Amino acid sequence: MKKCIAFLYLFCIACLCLSCISCLHGEEALFPVWVPTWQGIKYKVDVTGGDRRYGFIDESGKCIIPLEYDYAFGFAEGLAHVSKDGRGYYINKENEVVLELGTMLSSRFSDGYARVSEKGLYGYIDKSGRVVIPLIYKDAMDFSEGLAFVKEEINGKMRCIDKENNIIFEGEYKKCNPFKNGYAIVHKKNGKESSPVLLDRSGKEYVLPTGYEMLVPQIDRDGNLLLKKNDSFFLYSIKHNSMSRFFPDYEVFTDSETSKEGLKDRTGRILIEPMYDFVRLPDNDGFVHVGIWYESEEKFKEGFLSTTGDVLIPIEFEILSDFENNLAAFLPYRSNGGYVSRKGQIYYYKDYMQQ
């Protein structure tokens, strides 16, 4: 029981760490980072709450924008949303204020527009700060491929609008994912229940196969959706309304006797022996995130292996996120936290506090 609780706790905190260094896409490689500054205890982490200061570092761990903000989102389309003393701003990578938002809440830019909200209503601005879609909606999602989902205030229906605020279609939807490669996956209400459906840009619905787990809520460029059933993977073709088996390059497996996890390739050859309490699939750079429970210490410890089982990042971090490009966040409980690079370089919170 202790083991289960500890794992859930560590998983939640790792997700928190990851959110602090997310949203990097090519040229947007500046990470928003935070350090704790509360209770008069320098550099110590208390996950129960408190003040934080945000700034930005690059992929080498170098501090580019000082940790002077109360909050910061990652850079997108050349701008980052930050807040300080209760007021919001967009800054560029030289830490120059490009737009002032005042008390208006905002998100990152996507498809040239950013969501903004005030007094519980949502709309959109462009990069000049001009309100291009008025704040009339109860909720709103990011634009993608020229379309966005918004919730109508009176009847609560979800609408799909274009950049001129024209209604393309509407329906009883919730949990709407952005359009990708011409399609969006949404959950359609059916009484108290809801089920996923696929929508094209006109609002035409495509019923998805039942009994499968949707691994990624997006259609790939070839019009396929990746699904899983039991331990098998499938590609569902929207165009042909057909299903075909998909064999991934790697697969995490569980030893039936020990319940430990390992990694094997598509031929079934074992690459990493089943000796870990969790194993994740390799990222694009071949880093495999693993964790193991040490009964004597009553602690989880995490690190990264190669696809051949070699240690890339020592398994000594109590809480560790996945890599976002070059950095992974670690947050030991009531101890110094920071970031570790793919080369094993460690950057502590205290180092940024001193800059």
Side-chain angles (χ1 to χ4, degrees), residues 76-77 79-82 88-91 98-118 121-137 140-143 148 150 161-165:
E77 301 186 5
L79 299 176
H81 178 220
V82 299
Y89 307 88
Y90 281 100
I91 61 171
V98 178
L99 294 176
E100 294 191 25
L101 299 171
T103 58
M104 188 181 293
L105 301 177
S106 181
S107 68
R108 295 174 294 175
F109 275 93
S110 175
D111 214 5
Y113 284 7
R115 286 178 294 142
V116 292
S117 66
E118 196 168 38
L121 295 177
Y122 290 79
Y124 297 86
I125 61 172
D126 63 16
K127 289 185 178 180
S128 71
R130 181 173 64 96
V131 175
V132 289
I133 294 179
L135 282 68
I136 58 175
Y137 294 109
M141 314 299 165
D142 287 339
F143 268 90
V150 295
I161 61 171
D162 63 16
K163 287 190 170 184
E164 284 71 48
N165 200 26

Side-chain angles (χ1 to χ4, degrees), residues 200-251:
D200 65 14
R201 294 177 62 87
S202 69
K204 179 181 177 181
E205 295 184 4
Y206 298 79
V207 179
L208 297 173
T210 58
Y212 294 85
E213 177 187 356
M214 191 187 319
L215 297 181
V216 181
Q218 289 181 342
I219 301 298
D220 67 20
R221 65 182 62 188
D222 297 317
N224 297 318
L225 181 65
L226 181 60
L227 304 173
K228 183 179 180 182
K229 188 173 185 178
N230 299 325
D231 293 325
S232 299
F233 297 87
F234 300 85
L235 283 179
Y236 173 65
S237 170
I238 305 302
K239 182 178 179 180
H240 302 290
N241 190 26
S242 61
M243 192 85 71
S244 60
R245 279 291 301 273
F246 173 74
F247 297 93
D249 293 331
Y250 302 98
E251 182 181 349

Side-chain angles (χ1 to χ4, degrees), residues 8-29:
L8 290 173
Y9 164 76
L10 295 175
F11 177 79
C12 292
I13 299 302
C15 291
L16 170 64
C17 297
L18 180 59
S19 70
C20 296
I21 61 170
S22 61
C23 76
L24 299 176
H25 304 283
E27 75 279 8
E28 311 292 351

